[in-house]
């Protein structure tokens, strides 16, 4: 396919109003050039948009214009008018003679005068002495010529003379009479020929057009990036819906299973206590039937017997009837039944109201003074609420007030693709099936945040911990980051080292020739302790505890295994929610696991 646009396509583009798509003409739909966006719009559309007012909002770019003279004060577009005239000639449409009072159809054009001539005016034109040398071209000849060769005569509206000069001072094309009156050089006007001005202006415009083309390429890249972002947002939306449905389907399934277990237990327990009751009921029914039938039989027999027969019968049946008085059912239970207690429902119901958290995650580039274009995006995470933490007893480190243990989990929906996340546990094992690439996933490798931030309320002291286990396969060079845990109110998706918030790092250390724990705050080192050797097969577990005291604005970092205080930071701001963020570093020969506790 050709890379060039055909001339006919250009003409169609230039001769149609972009608003109403009707063809321009010189009567009603005169093309008027908009200075804001370099577009031509027909006069009829502009009058519709202006509603007769001296103000106009550009239909193309919405730029506001103040037009005291109305829409007609906007300049006509001469190029389009010239193309329209040429198209009329090519298509054989009626063009009236310019000077003929009868409006006869024009047959030719004078290039020197720039007028259309009918046959009679053409004959008269040739007879005038001053016009005998003028070049006239018939419409038939003009049909064979390109449209660009068809030029209009540009005349000064005031002096009706050809426009031959350009005034740089006023930025206006003028005639020779203008140069001696309104645009006189002696009055400070800079006058040059049209050719000279055109050459200089064309160079400037060509440079601008090149820059605009370069900008268009950049905008196209931005457009594609926005298109990708739009797609990622849609993917993230669908993934969030699927995750919510799966999570609650599993929860509902667990509830259904629990309900089934309880209903089965009801059947089992009711059957267990119903069995002796049924046995007692059967025994009672048998004794009742025997007593009733014997009593009724004896009464009937005695009513028919004489005294001798009655005496004989009473003698033979007295013992049997007396024994019946001793008969009684075996009663093992006084009352029995099966009940259901909604145990833990008072705890489960509030938890259900807090189950799940929908967040919008926005990444915004951070400007760097050195112009570094590597990944360095600030994260803005918005959510409706943060679930309340559960309380626990104990006050280590002499903290004041009630101690709150925070139940945290890692956010698998934000974690980078090279981590495996399951609730509070994350490892640097690669996943068999990569998660969907959404716009909220971290691009920096081996990085993840907690699913909820820490919100410290007045007078509150909260704590959380993490168990870090790492195994060195092959020793690495010194000064390599193995693991980083950060507590920050401004999470960043970056390839660079974090310089904000509190950071606890595991790294290979040249000074100790081993693996050390270093705690920094705002880029300043607070503590540096050697943990173990940097040797093959080394496996080490580190228990980190963080205690946050709102009253004293202090954060304590605690070694839970060694049961010692590593360092404390005071003052530490608790104004904004704090995110726990970890990075497994670029140490390739280490197996890492981090579990929140």
């Amino acid at each position: 396919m050709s890379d060039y646009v055909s001339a006919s396509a250009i003409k169609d583009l230039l001769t149609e109003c972009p608003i109403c798509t009707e063809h321009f003409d010189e009567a009603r739909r005169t093309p008027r050039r908009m200075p804001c966006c370099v577009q031509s719009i027909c006069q009829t559309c502009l009058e519709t948009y202006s509603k007769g007012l001296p103000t106009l909002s550009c239909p193309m770019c919405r730029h506001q214009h103040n037009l005291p003279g109305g829409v007609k004060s906007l300049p006509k577009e001469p190029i389009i008018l010239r193309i329209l005239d040429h198209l009329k000639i090519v298509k054989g449409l009626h063009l009236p003679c310019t000077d003929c009072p009868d409006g006869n159809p024009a047959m030719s054009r004078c290039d020197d005068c720039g007028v259309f001539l009918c046959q009679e005016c053409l004959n008269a034109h040739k007879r005038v002495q001053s016009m005998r040398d003028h070049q006239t071209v018939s419409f038939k000849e003009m049909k064979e010529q390109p449209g660009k060769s068809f030029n209009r005569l540009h005349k000064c509206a005031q002096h009706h003379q050809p426009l031959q000069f350009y005034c740089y001072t006023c930025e206006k094309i003028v005639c020779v009479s203008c140069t001696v009156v309104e645009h006189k050089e002696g009055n400070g006007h800079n006058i040059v020929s049209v050719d000279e001005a055109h050459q200089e202006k064309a160079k400037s415009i060509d440079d601008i057009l090149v820059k605009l083309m370069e900008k268009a390429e950049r905008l196209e890249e931005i457009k594609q990036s926005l298109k990708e972002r739009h797609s990622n947002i849609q993917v993230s939306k669908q993934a969030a819906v699927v995750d919510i449905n799966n999570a609650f389907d599993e929860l509902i399934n667990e509830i259904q299973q629990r309900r089934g277990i309880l209903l089965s237990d009801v059947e089992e327990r009711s059957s267990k206590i119903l069995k002796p009751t049924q046995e007692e009921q059967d025994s009672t029914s048998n004794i009742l039937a025997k007593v009733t039938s014997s009593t009724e039989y004896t009464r009937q027999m005695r009513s028919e017997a004489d005294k001798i027969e009655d005496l004989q019968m009473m003698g033979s049946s007295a013992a049997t009837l007396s024994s019946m008085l001793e008969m009684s059912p075996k009663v093992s239970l006084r009352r029995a039944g099966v009940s259901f207690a909604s145990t833990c429902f008072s705890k489960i119901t509030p938890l259900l109201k807090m189950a799940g958290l929908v967040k919008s995650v926005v990444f915004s580039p951070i400007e760097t003074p050195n112009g570094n274009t590597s990944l360095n995006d600030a994260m803005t995470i918005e959510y409706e609420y943060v679930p309340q933490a559960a309380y626990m007893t104990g006050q280590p480190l002499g903290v004041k007030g009630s101690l709150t243990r925070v139940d945290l989990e890692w956010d698998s929906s934000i974690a980078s693709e090279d981590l495996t996340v399951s609730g509070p546990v994350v490892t640097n094992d690669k996943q068999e099936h990569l998660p969907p690439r959404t716009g909220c996933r971290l691009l920096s490798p081996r990085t993840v945040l907690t699913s909820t931030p820490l919100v410290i309320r007045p007078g509150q002291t909260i704590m959380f911990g993490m168990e870090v286990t790492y195994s060195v396969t092959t020793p690495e060079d010194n000064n390599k980051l193995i693991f980083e845990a950060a507590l920050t109110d401004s999470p960043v998706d970056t390839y660079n080292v974090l310089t904000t918030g509190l950071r606890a790092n595991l790294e290979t250390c040249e000074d100790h020739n081993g693996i050390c724990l270093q705690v920094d705050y705002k880029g300043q080192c607070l503590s540096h302790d050697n943990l173990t050797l940097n040797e093959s097969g080394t496996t080490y577990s580190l228990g980190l505890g963080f205690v946050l005291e709102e009253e004293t604005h202090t954060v304590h970092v605690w070694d839970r295994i060694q049961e010692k205080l590593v360092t404390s930071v005071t003052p530490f701001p608790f104004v904004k929610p704090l995110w726990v963020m970890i990075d497994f570093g670029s140490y390739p020969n280490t197996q890492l696991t981090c579990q929140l506790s």
Side-chain angles (χ1 to χ4, degrees), residues 289-484:
K290 187 174 182 179
V291 169
T292 303
S293 62
S294 296
T295 301
E296 183 63 27
Y297 178 80
T298 301
R299 289 181 182 277
Q300 290 181 2
M301 291 296 292
R302 289 187 67 195
S303 64
E304 299 293 334
D306 56 22
K307 291 182 179 180
I308 298 300
E309 291 172 338
D310 188 25
L311 184 61
Q312 291 175 340
M313 187 185 69
M314 288 189 292
S316 62
S317 61
T320 302
L321 293 174
S322 296
S323 66
M324 290 184 185
L325 293 175
E326 302 298 327
M327 291 181 179
S328 62
K330 183 180 180 182
V331 179
S332 59
L333 303 174
R334 183 179 298 277
R335 290 190 304 276
V338 178
S339 68
F340 168 71
S342 56
T343 308
C344 297
F345 270 49
S346 60
K347 297 179 180 179
I348 294 174
T349 302
L351 287 175
L352 283 176
K353 293 180 180 179
M354 298 186 298
L357 183 65
V358 176
K359 304 186 293 288
S360 60
V361 185
V362 179
F363 298 88
S364 305
I366 301 174
E367 294 185 5
T368 54
N370 58 1
N372 186 3
T373 58
S374 63
L375 179 67
N376 194 32
D377 294 342
M379 298 177 64
T380 303
I381 306 175
E382 296 181 352
Y383 44 85
E384 185 177 357
Y385 66 93
V386 175
Q388 296 280 345
Y391 287 96
M392 65 175 290
T393 59
Q395 296 179 335
L397 304 177
V399 296
K400 299 179 180 180
S402 60
L403 182 64
T404 303
R405 182 182 65 83
V406 186
D407 188 12
L408 296 174
E409 292 185 350
W410 299 117
D411 192 341
S412 60
S413 67
I414 293 180
S416 53
E417 297 176 347
D418 45 9
L419 293 178
T420 298
V421 179
S422 178
V425 180
V426 58
T427 69
N428 59 349
D429 295 324
K430 289 190 176 180
Q431 304 180 55
E432 294 183 5
H433 304 288
L434 290 178
R437 179 160 296 194
T438 65
C440 55
R441 194 167 294 283
L442 289 160
L443 297 181
S444 52
R446 300 169 294 279
T447 307
V448 64
L449 278 76
T450 48
S451 58
T452 55
L454 301 173
V455 178
I456 319 299
R457 294 170 176 83
Q460 193 177 38
T461 299
I462 70 172
M463 69 170 294
F464 70 94
M466 57 180 67
E467 303 293 331
V468 183
T469 303
Y470 61 92
S471 177
V472 179
T473 306
T474 304
E476 191 60 63
D477 295 336
N478 290 321
N479 302 320
K480 293 287 187 179
L481 178 68
I482 298 175
F483 172 83
E484 176 184 70

Side-chain angles (χ1 to χ4, degrees), residues 125-280:
H125 199 77
K126 291 180 177 180
R127 294 182 62 184
V128 177
Q129 182 69 31
S130 61
M131 299 181 183
R132 286 183 179 180
D133 296 333
H134 284 199
Q135 182 69 33
T136 58
V137 184
S138 68
F139 283 180
K140 183 177 180 181
E141 294 173 322
M142 292 176 65
K143 289 181 180 181
E144 308 298 327
Q145 297 177 356
K148 195 171 181 179
S149 65
F150 176 58
N151 296 319
R152 284 192 167 198
L153 182 63
H154 302 287
K155 290 184 178 182
C156 175
Q158 183 177 357
H159 303 108
H160 305 289
Q161 291 183 336
L163 297 173
Q164 298 173 319
F165 300 95
Y166 183 81
C167 177
Y168 271 104
T169 307
C170 303
E171 295 186 347
K172 188 175 181 180
I173 305 173
V174 297
C175 69
V176 65
S177 296
C178 293
T179 62
V180 297
V181 186
E182 295 90 348
H183 302 271
K184 190 175 181 180
E185 284 191 288
N187 294 335
H189 290 263
N190 182 15
I191 306 296
V192 298
S193 67
V194 165
D195 290 339
E196 182 181 346
H198 178 268
Q199 184 177 358
E200 186 172 342
K201 289 279 187 180
K203 182 179 182 304
S204 175
I205 289 297
D206 288 342
D207 291 342
I208 292 175
L209 291 176
V210 169
K211 293 177 181 178
L212 285 175
M213 288 299 296
E214 294 173 351
K215 182 174 183 178
E217 293 176 359
R218 293 194 299 270
L219 290 173
E220 182 63 32
E221 293 176 359
I222 294 174
K223 179 182 176 182
Q224 292 302 321
S225 176
L226 292 173
K227 185 177 180 181
E228 182 180 355
R229 185 200 300 175
H230 184 277
S231 175
N232 287 340
I233 293 173
Q234 292 296 333
V235 170
S236 68
K237 173 186 174 182
Q238 296 170 3
V241 170
V242 170
D243 290 344
I244 290 172
N245 286 331
N246 289 341
F248 279 87
D249 285 345
E250 291 178 7
L251 185 60
I252 291 171
N253 184 52
E254 292 292 334
I255 293 174
Q256 296 282 20
Q257 288 185 25
R258 181 60 182 165
R259 181 170 68 173
I261 290 172
L262 293 175
L263 291 175
S264 177
D265 200 15
V266 167
E267 290 293 331
E268 182 180 346
R269 292 185 178 280
S270 61
S271 297
K272 187 175 181 180
I273 60 176
L274 277 172
K275 183 178 180 180
T277 301
Q278 186 65 47
E279 291 175 353
E280 293 174 16

